[in-house]
Amino acid sequence: MSDPSASYTDVLIIGAGPSGLMAAYWMARCGVKARIIDKRGTKVFTGQADGLRPRTLELFDSMGFVHRVLHEACEASEFAFWGPDETGKLKRQDRNPINDISCSPYGNALLNQGRIERFMLDAIKEHSDLEVERGVIADSLNYDSNLEKNDDEYPITVTLRTLSEEEANPSVAYGGAEGVRNGLFRSNTTPDDWDDLIKKSKERPGNIETVKAKYLIGCDGAHSWTRKQLGIPFEGSTTEHIWGVVDMIPITDFPDIRCVSTVASEYGTMLVIPREKQLVRLYLPLHDVNNTSSSFDRSSVTLEMIREKAKKMFGSFSFDFKVCDWWTVYQIGQRLAPTFSKGRIHLAGDAIHTHSPKAGLGMNMSMQDGFNLGWKLALVAKGVARSCILDTYELERKKTAQMLIDLDRRLQPLFTKQQENGPGAISPDETLVKVMELTMSFANGYICYYGASPLVHKSSEDFSASLIPGERFLPAKVRNQVDGRAWWTTRLFESDGRFRIVLLAGDMRHDEQRHRVSTFSAYLASSGSVLRRFTPKGEQNNSIIDVVTIHSNPLEALEFFEFPEMLRPYDEQKGWAYDQIWSDSECAWDRHCQGKAYDAWGVDRMRGALVILRPDQHVGWVGNIEDVKELAGYFEGVLHQPNDVAKTANHVQK
Amino acid sequence: MSDPSASYTDVLIIGAGPSGLMAAYWMARCGVKARIIDKRGTKVFTGQADGLRPRTLELFDSMGFVHRVLHEACEASEFAFWGPDETGKLKRQDRNPINDISCSPYGNALLNQGRIERFMLDAIKEHSDLEVERGVIADSLNYDSNLEKNDDEYPITVTLRTLSEEEANPSVAYGGAEGVRNGLFRSNTTPDDWDDLIKKSKERPGNIETVKAKYLIGCDGAHSWTRKQLGIPFEGSTTEHIWGVVDMIPITDFPDIRCVSTVASEYGTMLVIPREKQLVRLYLPLHDVNNTSSSFDRSSVTLEMIREKAKKMFGSFSFDFKVCDWWTVYQIGQRLAPTFSKGRIHLAGDAIHTHSPKAGLGMNMSMQDGFNLGWKLALVAKGVARSCILDTYELERKKTAQMLIDLDRRLQPLFTKQQENGPGAISPDETLVKVMELTMSFANGYICYYGASPLVHKSSEDFSASLIPGERFLPAKVRNQVDGRAWWTTRLFESDGRFRIVLLAGDMRHDEQRHRVSTFSAYLASSGSVLRRFTPKGEQNNSIIDVVTIHSNPLEALEFFEFPEMLRPYDEQKGWAYDQIWSDSECAWDRHCQGKAYDAWGVDRMRGALVILRPDQHVGWVGNIEDVKELAGYFEGVLHQPNDVAKTANHVQK
């Protein structure tokens, strides 16, 4: 069945931007045979996206590099709203903290996309030999749906072309006004140059390769070549909005220039974003165009025009800049792909949703797409998980994308039209301040509304006010039983591809509770337990499902060795697992660890609860410590048993 | 005057261990022409030192890489003391937190020296092209003291030899029991192989170079070749102690194996140090030798002997290991060089003091030596500071080294003899627990007792209970006036080679205080101010002395632009300096920023104070905001004026 002229890979990823790299991280982390290509000759270094929401930083923590981001990024701790007073002079209307430590360890942080990509590339390198193949495009895609039912088949055939250095590094990347590097060539909604690149590269011989893949992920941006090959439309608005964007070091007496600020005026509303290395980004609305006409030429916009517009919008405050790091012009409408997947081919990031940069969510949403799809596909490709979990990708991410686009539509008039109607014309419930406040939980990634599926078992009973199946596990700081260190759960629940049973063991100073925990541990040790059933022979008991215990009694009340051995498994090389037992105890030297995690989770401190965490730290199920049948039922619907009948049947079909 | 066959450098550093790299950091950071050589062919990768005290972590923060250390290191948060009970069975006698957040942002952390060196090397690379020349030794040193009075002369002549690969990477580095890499070859107190290396390398021609240097720093370990060339003795104990050290992953039911623990028994006291990557280090006393006899052969000790000793010392607890990362045998006495400097040649680290690893201070002290000497020498070499400040190196570091050795002597019997006399024989005031508690402030680096000198002006009046000339600036978290972010002062006061005037501006809501601050700002702007007098023409006003303001009123009470411009200086390229004004205000989303810095400093919230910080964050002087004469007096004693008469005289002499 194999084609000797083709190369084979399990997963091919087209596009090495934030969503593609997120997906690639999982392939690297889970040891899946994968390739990732990108048409550009280099990664991004300046400009592009820059906003990081708390939920994204939590993911980075679980991937092991949030400390690098926080060290370099600008922390956006306050949000200021400016608008004209009665006399038309700019005035601060409100200034509020953005961060809420009851919701996340992290606030909002700003750092250019190039550094984020660097950290992801480093994380990929740490775990594998996977490298981005740059200056490579796909120029044909063939999908044989007859093969898709057999996990071992390669239904996807793609032809790859290597570009010349010139093609992969268009000279327009440099230049523009004053020789500043600008982003016009790779703004994500310009008519793309993919077809031109294919045509040109065809003129050179000897640079093509046929690749056969089991799975394909298209992370190739708003003009996604992959999406077009699948014939999936990109539905949305008939009006597109033109935005000027500039990263510069401001010379201004505007007092909130280092806060996230909106500045409303008769010219629309400008967004001010403080950044690393004294930079500030401005987003300025230029004008709207009807996307059926192609009358507007983006390349007619110059850096000088953006500078002049900003000067006007800052009103009586002085404004100018001498150092410009990057600038571009965005032309963006709200668009959504009606379907995210076709067979074994999936799309992520800008390929499935576009919207304005106003909500500061583009890169976050794209990375979360790649993160959501990546672990599912990695586990399916490895034969660990059932392929039905791939259906949850669209289920979970499409709703989120739709909400994002709705938010963007809601914000649109507040940015472009507010001042046309005069300061008093907006409904008091629909001001920028109000809308931002109302949508904060969604924007920061605290709530995502993932629906019921094999991966999300909604409980009939409420075991916990804040541990809600489908939502992320609410982060808290807990202390290690053995060494007393305080860690955020976001770091503790490392993104290593494993499901987790989180045993909230309650207060084990009480005999009855201790007995409940012992009974559960005996279940784990039994031959019918999910650990034994779903772990392949010869592997550690925790290679597929990890068990982490967090009890509620004081650290000092129990010794590590008093916990049942199944909760701190023994390894012949490394002794007992000291990292598996934690306590919701106060920490004298860490004011963020207050021994109140159970309270935040809404879990009974005495009786505890049992939680299934997906590899992405989302809650899959919550129950009582006795509910081992439901626990088993969850994993039966999601994982293959190593001697699984259904899987064997597939092999036989072949 | 120049020798065409020689190469010239301002500073030559011999030895690229922790103290040498610290000194090299300053050369890189301040742009001083320097070279650094090391006899070994590679840096350290496993083993060696591992303990990091809070003060060292504060320095790392000011150097920009503490986040990398904290991410990888094991945080040692608790200290446990074990000893035999009445029946002779091991029992936990005490377990206490190590960290005290009122003293430092950081606790104690453990990470192998190889990673620390990596981070320092990266920091050096970030700021310069300085690279360690490895596999290179010095084989002759000539010092012409007639030249030392002229800053521009090169009184030092050193011959460097490049070693063969074999010489630089002795094969004994690998091997020992079970093929584990051991540290026998580079333990810092073995009879050194320098002379052998010189002899061998002389057999190969064409590998020598003559270097002329203005300054030389010898960081070449306990058997310092540099120290020997200077004829400086190494005075100290007649008894040396033999310690076995092993880094392994323990298989044990000893419950505090992941805490810093002492375990006392009839065989002496063992030290347990938790480490990164599940490793634990054990220090085991083997025996003492009279250093006049050379009867003890370290190479007779095997890993098996260390394992067996540890098994015995853990008493009835099980103990073994299968994974060993590194092991060695130390032979150490307490020794101190009577003088640290001779003319333009200085010694640092193990070259001037040795002691046992019991106090966990060796690497810390050595790095602090290099840090203390480095900035002084860099500023003198650049012509910024007067050479008299170099005299403060020995003044400051010798007292600290003596205290360390005294501490080590005090701890010695508690580790080796306790059980010989039975558990009851030690005075209750002189138990390990008590001694450790009493010496914590010194060991953690909170107090260092630097004496009066041109760099430390002791105040006649107490302006502050905790800002004491000679001691480090007590770290606190403060908030930036413009963006509201909360930063530790250890990060804010970056180690960039500048002195700082810290204006504790008090409560500026009050007219009188505002007036005091304005008057001080007017002084700064005047032509006679220290900023104008000591800044070379054409440089930014803050290139030698930086001014940082920390006021005590709430952040919201004043706008950035209400502060006098001298406190937020204007730059034509980059606008106003937003990083210069901070507030001692509470931060809603950071529980470690409580708006209580003034209280911790013991500074009047209304009237504030004026502080001179040295480039190493030590307080140089404290006074009232009006005391500009004393302020100027300090800098007059320390810095050259660009048109300095004394300096010109030197040039004329030449």
Side-chain angles (χ1 to χ4, degrees):
Chain A
M1 298 212 38
S2 77
D3 174 353
S5 71
S7 35
Y8 286 75
T9 189
D10 287 355
V11 178
L12 175 65
I13 302 170
I14 300 181
S19 55
L21 289 175
M22 270 293 193
Y25 166 83
W26 283 113
M27 304 311 144
R29 199 66 173 81
C30 298
V32 172
K33 196 177 169 191
R35 290 177 67 175
I36 174 167
I37 63 165
D38 196 277
K39 67 176 170 176
R40 301 296 171 199
T42 62
K43 68 181 262 300
V44 161
F45 291 99
T46 57
Q48 306 296 325
D50 60 4
L52 294 166
R53 295 289 190 163
R55 178 59 187 155
T56 306
L57 295 172
E58 293 171 9
L59 300 186
F60 290 171
D61 195 9
S62 74
M63 297 163 80
F65 59 79
V66 73
H67 62 294
R68 297 182 69 187
V69 177
L70 294 178
H71 182 74
E72 291 190 19
C74 170
E75 180 191 353
S77 41
E78 307 220 312
F79 206 134
F81 297 87
W82 287 73
D85 65 10
E86 300 73 24
T87 69
K89 211 181 153 214
L90 276 179
K91 191 189 149 191
R92 185 190 291 129
Q93 295 166 338
D94 223 330
R95 179 167 158 168
N96 301 315
I98 301 179
N99 302 348
D100 181 350
I101 42 170
S102 68
C103 293
S104 177
Y106 307 110
N108 281 258
L110 288 312
L111 185 64
N112 90 70
Q113 182 176 328
R115 293 304 293 164
I116 312 294
E117 292 184 6
R118 165 53 46 217
F119 302 143
M120 287 199 278
L121 289 167
D122 288 350
I124 289 168
K125 196 176 169 188
E126 198 182 323
H127 294 291
S128 75
D129 297 326
L130 182 58
E131 279 188 26
V132 178
E133 299 165 49
R134 299 197 185 272
V136 175
I137 54 168
D139 84 350
S140 79
L141 167 60
N142 190 281
Y143 186 69
D144 184 349
S145 57
N146 293 323
L147 301 176
E148 82 182 16
K149 291 229 166 98
N150 185 331
D151 287 353
D152 295 330
E153 284 291 356
Y154 295 81
I156 296 149
T157 307
V158 173
T159 315
L160 301 185
R161 288 190 171 267
T162 307
L163 302 177
S164 70
E165 199 165 319
E166 194 184 310
E167 289 156 356
N169 301 289
S171 59
V172 63
Y174 299 92
E178 299 174 20
V180 172
R181 186 178 183 121
N182 75 52
L184 287 175
F185 83 102
R186 63 191 303 168
S187 283
N188 54 7
T189 50
T190 45
D192 212 349
D193 47 7
W194 196 286
D195 292 339
D196 281 355
L197 286 171
I198 292 178
K199 205 176 134 198
K200 265 197 204 164
S201 68
K202 276 189 177 165
E203 293 161 10
R204 293 183 302 128
N207 56 351
I208 62 165
E209 179 192 4
T210 302
V211 176
K212 287 185 171 283
K214 290 180 180 171
Y215 300 90
L216 176 66
I217 311 182
C219 304
D220 44 355
H223 287 267
S224 171
W225 174 88
T226 314
R227 188 189 65 230
K228 286 175 193 157
Q229 302 310 302
L230 299 179
I232 297 174
F234 211 23
E235 297 165 349
S237 54
T238 51
T239 307
E240 302 218 319
H241 313 286
I242 312 290
W243 288 78
V245 192
V246 57
D247 292 347
M248 45 83 223
I249 299 181
I251 304 174
T252 176
D253 56 6
F254 176 69
D256 285 344
I257 192 72
R258 299 277 328 153
C259 295
V260 177
S261 308
T262 56
V263 182
S265 72
E266 60 186 299
Y267 308 100
T269 296
M270 172 170 59
L271 196 56
V272 177
I273 308 279
R275 281 269 301 277
E276 75 280 7
K277 295 183 178 171
Q278 300 175 271
L279 293 171
V280 170
R281 168 169 291 191
L282 301 180
Y283 282 107
L284 304 104
L286 295 180
H287 46 103
D288 295 351
V289 289
N290 185 314
N291 75 345
T292 53
S293 82
S294 54
S295 60
F296 181 75
D297 176 13
R298 284 192 328 132
S299 67
S300 69
V301 178
T302 66
L303 182 59
E304 278 319 303
M305 287 163 67
I306 293 175
R307 187 198 308 267
E308 290 312 313
K309 180 83 185 241
K311 280 185 179 180
K312 279 184 197 160
M313 294 185 83
F314 273 117
S316 59
F317 292 107
S318 69
F319 175 81
D320 205 347
F321 55 86
K322 293 195 174 152
V323 178
C324 175
D325 191 50
W326 179 83
W327 69 277
T328 195
V329 182
Y330 278 105
Q331 174 173 344
I332 288 166
Q334 292 97 358
R335 292 170 180 277
L336 182 65
T339 172
F340 288 10
S341 305
K342 229 174 196 179
R344 300 243 205 117
I345 302 175
H346 304 273
L347 302 170
D350 288 344
I352 42 177
H353 45 68
T354 61
H355 51 87
S356 83
K358 286 182 299 291
L361 277 170
M363 179 164 62
N364 293 276
M365 279 293 171
S366 293
M367 286 195 286
Q368 285 166 30
D369 287 344
F371 196 80
N372 186 293
L373 176 60
W375 69 265
K376 294 170 182 172
L377 212 152
L379 292 189
V380 169
K382 279 181 81 176
V384 168
R386 296 174 184 273
S387 55
C388 65
I389 70 168
L390 292 173
D391 299 337
T392 66
Y393 170 58
E394 183 178 307
L395 174 81
E396 294 180 347
R397 297 308 297 169
K398 196 173 163 192
K399 185 169 184 178
T400 318
Q402 184 63 59
M403 287 176 70
L404 168 60
I405 284 170
D406 292 345
L407 170 61
D408 196 42
R409 286 220 173 88
R410 196 167 166 192
L411 289 172
Q412 185 63 37
L414 303 178
F415 273 85
T416 52
K417 291 181 192 147
Q418 183 167 26
Q419 298 316 312
E420 288 172 23
N421 305 335
I426 302 278
S427 143
D429 293 334
E430 200 64 16
T431 62
L432 256 182
V433 187
K434 291 264 180 194
V435 173
M436 295 261 185
E437 271 175 12
L438 284 171
T439 56
M440 190 71 92
S441 283
F442 170 72
N444 281 344
Y446 304 151
I447 300 178
C448 61
Y449 308 101
Y450 288 174
S453 76
L455 285 173
V456 176
H457 288 204
K458 301 281 185 188
S459 312
S460 53
E461 199 184 326
D462 274 352
F463 290 92
S464 146
S466 312
L467 299 182
I468 299 159
E471 302 300 333
R472 82 195 167 127
F473 188 89
L474 180 68
K477 233 174 184 178
V478 292
R479 296 186 65 194
N480 182 268
Q481 178 67 34
V482 185
D483 61 22
R485 75 182 187 274
W487 264 25
W488 288 108
T489 49
T490 43
R491 181 170 184 190
L492 172 57
F493 301 141
E494 192 184 345
S495 286
D496 56 13
R498 292 186 296 173
F499 282 83
R500 281 188 176 83
I501 296 172
V502 181
L503 172 61
L504 299 176
D507 191 339
M508 291 177 62
R509 286 173 297 186
H510 299 265
D511 286 346
E512 193 202 339
Q513 187 64 15
R514 218 160 159 149
H515 182 254
R516 293 181 71 209
V517 169
S518 297
T519 306
F520 178 72
S521 307
Y523 160 76
L524 288 181
S526 70
S527 63
S529 86
V530 292
L531 299 192
R532 306 269 170 170
R533 284 170 60 197
F534 295 105
T535 307
K537 258 192 187 155
E539 287 188 15
Q540 299 271 5
N541 248 339
N542 61 1
S543 69
I544 307 294
I545 304 169
D546 188 30
V547 180
V548 175
T549 301
I550 306 174
H551 61 76
S552 69
N553 47 265
L555 201 65
E556 306 73 38
L558 280 177
E559 295 283 353
F560 177 77
F561 285 98
E562 293 182 72
F563 287 83
E565 185 159 334
M566 278 308 288
L567 305 182
R568 48 174 178 83
Y570 179 80
D571 174 271
E572 287 197 354
Q573 293 289 311
K574 301 189 167 184
W576 285 277
Y578 302 112
D579 275 355
Q580 303 301 105
I581 299 183
W582 298 75
S583 165
D584 179 21
S585 294
E586 193 176 352
C587 181
W589 60 90
D590 187 334
R591 296 198 179 108
H592 292 278
C593 182
Q594 303 195 313
K596 291 182 179 164
Y598 270 61
D599 309 271
W601 296 327
V603 169
D604 188 291
R605 287 195 82 84
M606 175 64 76
R607 292 184 53 79
L610 199 57
V611 181
I612 294 176
L613 278 197
R614 317 185 329 176
D616 57 2
Q617 305 190 351
H618 279 255
V619 176
W621 168 84
V622 185
N624 273 316
I625 296 180
E626 286 75 19
D627 298 342
V628 294
K629 210 175 145 190
E630 286 87 337
L631 179 92
Y634 181 94
F635 288 112
E636 284 158 7
V638 168
L639 300 180
H640 286 299
Q641 287 195 45
N643 56 351
D644 202 308
V645 181
K647 208 189 165 199
T648 313
N650 267 346
H651 282 266
V652 171
Q653 272 179 14
K654 174 184 169 185
Chain B
M1 297 209 39
S2 78
D3 173 353
S5 72
S7 35
Y8 286 76
T9 189
D10 287 355
V11 179
L12 176 64
I13 301 170
I14 300 181
S19 54
L21 290 175
M22 270 293 194
Y25 166 84
W26 283 112
M27 305 311 144
R29 198 67 173 78
C30 298
V32 172
K33 196 177 169 191
R35 290 177 67 176
I36 174 168
I37 63 164
D38 196 277
K39 66 175 172 176
R40 300 296 169 199
T42 62
K43 68 181 265 299
V44 161
F45 291 98
T46 56
Q48 306 297 326
D50 60 4
L52 295 166
R53 295 289 190 165
R55 178 60 188 155
T56 306
L57 295 172
E58 292 171 10
L59 301 186
F60 290 171
D61 195 10
S62 74
M63 298 163 79
F65 59 80
V66 73
H67 62 294
R68 297 182 70 188
V69 177
L70 294 179
H71 181 74
E72 291 190 19
C74 170
E75 180 191 354
S77 41
E78 309 220 311
F79 207 135
F81 298 87
W82 289 72
D85 64 11
E86 301 73 24
T87 69
K89 209 179 155 219
L90 277 179
K91 190 188 150 190
R92 186 190 289 129
Q93 293 165 340
D94 224 329
R95 179 166 157 168
N96 299 315
I98 301 178
N99 303 349
D100 181 350
I101 43 171
S102 68
C103 293
S104 177
Y106 307 110
N108 282 256
L110 288 313
L111 184 65
N112 90 69
Q113 182 176 328
R115 293 303 294 163
I116 311 295
E117 291 185 6
R118 166 53 44 216
F119 302 143
M120 287 198 278
L121 288 166
D122 287 350
I124 288 168
K125 196 175 169 189
E126 197 181 325
H127 295 291
S128 75
D129 296 327
L130 182 58
E131 279 188 29
V132 178
E133 300 165 49
R134 300 196 184 271
V136 175
I137 54 170
D139 83 349
S140 78
L141 166 60
N142 190 282
Y143 185 70
D144 184 348
S145 56
N146 293 323
L147 301 176
E148 81 183 17
K149 290 228 168 100
N150 185 330
D151 287 353
D152 294 331
E153 284 291 356
Y154 295 81
I156 296 149
T157 307
V158 173
T159 315
L160 301 185
R161 288 191 172 265
T162 307
L163 302 178
S164 70
E165 198 164 318
E166 194 183 311
E167 289 155 355
N169 301 289
S171 59
V172 63
Y174 299 92
E178 298 173 21
V180 173
R181 186 178 183 122
N182 76 53
L184 288 174
F185 84 103
R186 62 191 306 168
S187 283
N188 54 6
T189 51
T190 45
D192 211 347
D193 48 6
W194 195 287
D195 292 339
D196 281 355
L197 286 172
I198 292 179
K199 207 176 133 198
K200 266 198 205 165
S201 67
K202 277 190 174 162
E203 293 162 11
R204 292 184 301 129
N207 55 352
I208 63 168
E209 179 193 4
T210 302
V211 176
K212 286 184 172 284
K214 291 181 179 170
Y215 299 91
L216 176 65
I217 310 181
C219 304
D220 43 357
H223 287 264
S224 172
W225 174 88
T226 314
R227 188 189 65 230
K228 288 174 192 158
Q229 303 310 302
L230 300 179
I232 296 174
F234 210 26
E235 297 164 350
S237 53
T238 51
T239 306
E240 302 217 317
H241 313 286
I242 311 290
W243 288 78
V245 191
V246 57
D247 291 348
M248 45 82 223
I249 299 182
I251 304 175
T252 177
D253 56 5
F254 177 70
D256 285 345
I257 193 71
R258 299 275 331 151
C259 294
V260 178
S261 310
T262 57
V263 182
S265 70
E266 60 187 301
Y267 308 101
T269 296
M270 173 171 60
L271 198 54
V272 177
I273 308 279
R275 281 269 301 278
E276 76 278 7
K277 294 183 179 170
Q278 301 175 273
L279 292 171
V280 170
R281 168 169 290 191
L282 302 181
Y283 282 108
L284 305 103
L286 294 180
H287 45 102
D288 295 352
V289 289
N290 184 312
N291 75 345
T292 55
S293 82
S294 55
S295 59
F296 181 75
D297 176 14
R298 284 191 329 129
S299 67
S300 69
V301 178
T302 66
L303 182 58
E304 278 318 302
M305 287 163 67
I306 293 174
R307 185 198 308 266
E308 291 311 312
K309 181 83 184 243
K311 281 185 180 183
K312 278 183 197 161
M313 294 185 82
F314 273 118
S316 59
F317 291 108
S318 68
F319 175 81
D320 205 346
F321 55 85
K322 292 194 175 153
V323 179
C324 174
D325 192 50
W326 179 82
W327 68 278
T328 195
V329 182
Y330 278 106
Q331 175 173 344
I332 288 166
Q334 292 96 0
R335 290 169 181 278
L336 181 66
T339 171
F340 289 8
S341 305
K342 229 173 194 179
R344 300 247 204 114
I345 303 175
H346 304 273
L347 302 170
D350 288 343
I352 42 177
H353 44 67
T354 60
H355 51 88
S356 82
K358 285 182 300 290
L361 277 169
M363 180 165 62
N364 293 277
M365 279 293 171
S366 293
M367 286 193 287
Q368 286 165 30
D369 287 344
F371 196 80
N372 185 292
L373 175 61
W375 70 265
K376 295 171 182 173
L377 212 151
L379 292 188
V380 170
K382 279 181 82 176
V384 168
R386 296 175 183 273
S387 56
C388 66
I389 69 168
L390 291 173
D391 299 337
T392 67
Y393 169 59
E394 183 178 305
L395 174 80
E396 295 181 346
R397 297 308 298 170
K398 195 173 162 191
K399 185 168 183 178
T400 318
Q402 184 65 60
M403 287 176 70
L404 169 60
I405 285 170
D406 292 345
L407 170 60
D408 196 42
R409 286 219 174 89
R410 196 168 165 191
L411 289 172
Q412 186 65 35
L414 303 177
F415 273 86
T416 51
K417 289 178 192 149
Q418 185 168 25
Q419 298 315 312
E420 288 170 24
N421 305 335
I426 303 277
S427 143
D429 293 334
E430 200 63 17
T431 61
L432 257 181
V433 187
K434 291 264 179 195
V435 173
M436 295 261 185
E437 271 175 13
L438 283 170
T439 56
M440 190 71 92
S441 282
F442 170 72
N444 281 343
Y446 304 151
I447 301 178
C448 61
Y449 308 101
Y450 289 173
S453 76
L455 285 173
V456 176
H457 288 204
K458 301 281 184 187
S459 311
S460 53
E461 197 185 325
D462 275 351
F463 290 93
S464 145
S466 311
L467 300 182
I468 300 159
E471 303 299 333
R472 81 196 166 126
F473 188 89
L474 180 67
K477 234 174 183 179
V478 293
R479 295 186 66 194
N480 183 269
Q481 178 67 35
V482 186
D483 61 22
R485 75 181 187 274
W487 264 26
W488 288 107
T489 49
T490 44
R491 181 171 184 188
L492 172 56
F493 301 143
E494 191 184 344
S495 285
D496 56 13
R498 292 185 295 173
F499 281 83
R500 282 189 176 83
I501 295 172
V502 182
L503 171 61
L504 299 177
D507 192 338
M508 292 177 61
R509 286 172 296 185
H510 299 265
D511 286 346
E512 191 201 338
Q513 186 65 14
R514 218 161 158 148
H515 182 254
R516 294 180 71 210
V517 170
S518 297
T519 306
F520 178 72
S521 307
Y523 160 75
L524 288 181
S526 71
S527 63
S529 86
V530 293
L531 299 191
R532 307 270 171 170
R533 285 170 59 198
F534 295 105
T535 307
K537 260 193 186 153
E539 287 188 15
Q540 298 272 6
N541 247 340
N542 61 0
S543 69
I544 306 294
I545 304 169
D546 188 30
V547 180
V548 176
T549 300
I550 306 174
H551 61 76
S552 70
N553 46 265
L555 201 65
E556 307 73 37
L558 280 177
E559 296 282 353
F560 177 77
F561 285 98
E562 293 182 72
F563 287 83
E565 184 157 337
M566 277 308 288
L567 305 182
R568 48 174 179 84
Y570 180 80
D571 174 271
E572 286 197 355
Q573 294 289 312
K574 301 190 168 185
W576 285 278
Y578 301 113
D579 275 355
Q580 304 302 106
I581 299 183
W582 299 73
S583 166
D584 179 21
S585 295
E586 193 176 353
C587 181
W589 59 89
D590 187 334
R591 296 197 179 109
H592 292 278
C593 182
Q594 304 195 312
K596 292 182 178 164
Y598 271 61
D599 309 271
W601 295 328
V603 168
D604 188 291
R605 288 196 80 85
M606 174 64 75
R607 292 184 53 79
L610 199 58
V611 182
I612 295 176
L613 278 197
R614 318 187 326 178
D616 58 1
Q617 304 190 350
H618 279 254
V619 175
W621 168 83
V622 184
N624 273 317
I625 296 180
E626 285 75 18
D627 298 342
V628 293
K629 210 175 145 190
E630 288 87 337
L631 178 92
Y634 181 94
F635 288 112
E636 283 159 6
V638 168
L639 300 180
H640 286 299
Q641 286 194 47
N643 57 350
D644 200 311
V645 180
K647 207 190 165 198
T648 313
N650 266 345
H651 282 265
V652 171
Q653 273 178 13
K654 172 184 170 185

